[in-house]
Amino acid sequence: MEDYPRTILEMEERFGTDAACRDYLFQLRWPEGFRCPRCGHDTAWHLGRGLHLCSGCRFQASVTAGTIFQDTRKPLRLWFRAIWYVTSQKHGMSALGLKRVLGLGSYETAWTWLHKLRHAMVRPGRDRLAGRVEIDEIYIGGVKEGKRGRGADGKALVVVAAQEDGKYIGRIRLQRVADASSASLIPAVAAIVERGSTVCTDGWTGYRPLRKHGYKHEVIRKDGTVGENVLPRVNRVTSLLKRWLLGTHHGAVQQSHLDCYLDEFTFRFNRRRSRSRGKLFYRLVQQAVAIEPIKGREIKGEPSDTGDRNM
Ligand SMILES: [Zn+2]
């Protein structure tokens, strides 16, 4: 059963203590009851403060170990508030916004938290798109349109995949690629679209081997210039993505962090019809306890107020 707060008041009342937050994490991490991460045994002594002593192997399991909350020195209730704000705002939050609303002492903490939460937005083993899927590549980070296959200075090339849902857009996937060659595009498509699906692209040669890889391939147009996109769903997603990067993040997205932003955008977009923002809160907490932690030093690059301004 999906159990989550509906309003900010419900959230405040329910998660006013770290013990309440830990209980919630326990529920989401072990919905069928405790299971030892080391030996799989299902009974434990509860030692308090989120610690559980496995009665099988005596391993001391913590509800936050192995999650994005591992080793945090800040109260869990502050983390829960961060998740609430990040999921309740339609367009998400910048690090500066999060720092202000939570009263965090440093920009760097806010930035690291957002980074960890974005990491949690990628559901491990998520389903691939299927049915009819529009695909195109777009450049992010430049003002000039470029010719395909050429190196694009300071720009990132991103594959945009949008599943058809009648007249509308179903789920999407975004994936960065090194270039627009078949060697880059075909593995990207294979990672995001189920084999046997119909892939609609323009006439770019990079997509030509799709049929050989088990896809039905529909060529929509025969022009090779990036930018003038007539694939309507991909086009729509692209403009929303660019607007989001410029609006919420003021274009201050460093190239090295682009993947995280793409994940966040995908998380939001694929849940845009969710009636309750509380459900997004639930989903993100659930994913936050289901994944491996990333340590501060494993995050590539440094936080920065400015980033790459032209992105
Ligand atoms: Zn055990």
Side-chain angles (χ1 to χ4, degrees):
M1 202 194 68
E2 294 181 349
D3 162 31
Y4 49 82
R6 259 70 176 174
T7 63
I8 186 160
L9 269 184
E10 278 183 37
M11 193 274 297
E12 297 277 356
E13 278 162 17
R14 178 155 181 196
F15 302 115
T17 65
D18 271 29
C21 298
R22 276 194 299 267
D23 284 349
Y24 193 66
L25 294 183
F26 184 96
Q27 249 185 65
L28 293 185
R29 184 165 186 183
W30 292 302
E32 271 120 56
F34 176 81
R35 181 140 314 253
C36 174
R38 181 178 284 172
C39 75
H41 198 78
D42 60 4
T43 53
W45 289 282
H46 304 291
L47 307 177
R49 297 196 60 81
L51 290 174
H52 309 276
L53 183 68
C54 172
S55 50
C57 73
R58 303 259 155 185
F59 176 68
Q60 222 183 68
S62 147
V63 71
T64 54
T67 75
I68 67 165
F69 309 110
Q70 179 174 312
D71 302 328
T72 186
R73 271 172 281 157
K74 294 269 196 274
L76 281 174
R77 53 189 195 280
L78 200 56
W79 272 99
F80 272 50
R81 273 153 191 71
I83 295 174
W84 179 266
Y85 286 121
V86 163
T87 51
S88 64
Q89 304 284 312
K90 190 162 177 227
H91 300 291
M93 267 201 154
S94 67
L96 202 58
L98 190 66
K99 173 184 182 283
R100 283 192 192 126
V101 78
L102 292 181
L104 291 169
S106 81
Y107 175 85
E108 194 180 349
T109 303
W111 185 91
T112 307
W113 282 26
L114 278 178
H115 200 89
K116 289 185 176 184
L117 291 176
R118 285 187 189 111
H119 186 70
M121 287 175 186
V122 192
R123 186 157 58 90
R126 60 186 174 181
D127 306 335
R128 284 179 291 183
L129 305 182
R132 264 174 78 89
V133 182
E134 289 180 9
I135 289 193
D136 202 359
E137 341 83 64
I138 58 161
Y139 281 118
I140 291 182
V143 280
K144 281 188 289 180
E145 305 296 347
K147 280 283 178 201
R148 278 169 164 173
R150 286 223 229 120
D153 315 323
K155 293 177 198 166
L157 193 61
V158 172
V159 168
V160 178
Q163 189 175 293
E164 281 191 24
D165 179 9
K167 290 194 303 187
Y168 306 102
I169 307 173
R171 291 174 305 146
I172 63 159
R173 292 278 181 266
L174 302 170
Q175 185 163 326
R176 209 161 149 174
V177 284
D179 53 47
S181 69
S182 294
S184 298
L185 292 176
I186 302 299
V189 174
I192 53 190
V193 185
E194 251 353 296
R195 241 179 228 228
S197 307
T198 302
V199 176
C200 309
T201 70
D202 57 24
W204 174 243
T205 54
Y207 294 109
R208 225 168 262 168
L210 274 175
R211 216 173 280 274
K212 216 169 61 194
H213 287 81
Y215 294 93
K216 294 177 200 108
H217 186 200
E218 219 168 277
V219 177
I220 307 290
R221 69 181 166 97
K222 299 201 185 308
D223 189 338
T225 312
V226 175
E228 40 164 310
N229 195 334
V230 296
L231 296 158
R233 292 171 189 79
V234 161
N235 201 20
R236 177 89 186 119
V237 172
T238 301
S239 73
L240 289 171
L241 170 65
K242 291 193 169 176
R243 205 185 301 163
W244 181 72
L245 287 171
L246 280 171
T248 304
H249 303 289
H250 311 289
V253 175
Q254 290 180 58
Q255 290 273 341
S256 55
H257 302 136
L258 182 61
D259 293 333
C260 300
Y261 290 91
L262 297 180
D263 289 341
E264 177 175 355
F265 183 84
T266 304
F267 177 85
R268 290 182 184 289
F269 189 90
N270 287 346
R271 288 164 186 80
R272 69 197 180 284
R273 290 188 200 133
S274 188
R275 246 171 287 135
S276 161
R277 308 314 287 178
K279 190 158 179 173
L280 265 73
F281 170 88
Y282 169 84
R283 197 60 72 200
L284 187 50
V285 178
Q286 186 184 45
Q287 291 180 198
V289 291
I291 55 148
E292 292 300 307
I294 45 169
K295 303 261 168 58
R297 64 188 136 79
E298 287 166 9
I299 298 170
K300 283 185 207 119
E302 288 299 314
S304 139
D305 269 308
T306 50
D308 297 339
R309 270 293 166 200
N310 63 346
M311 195 179 268

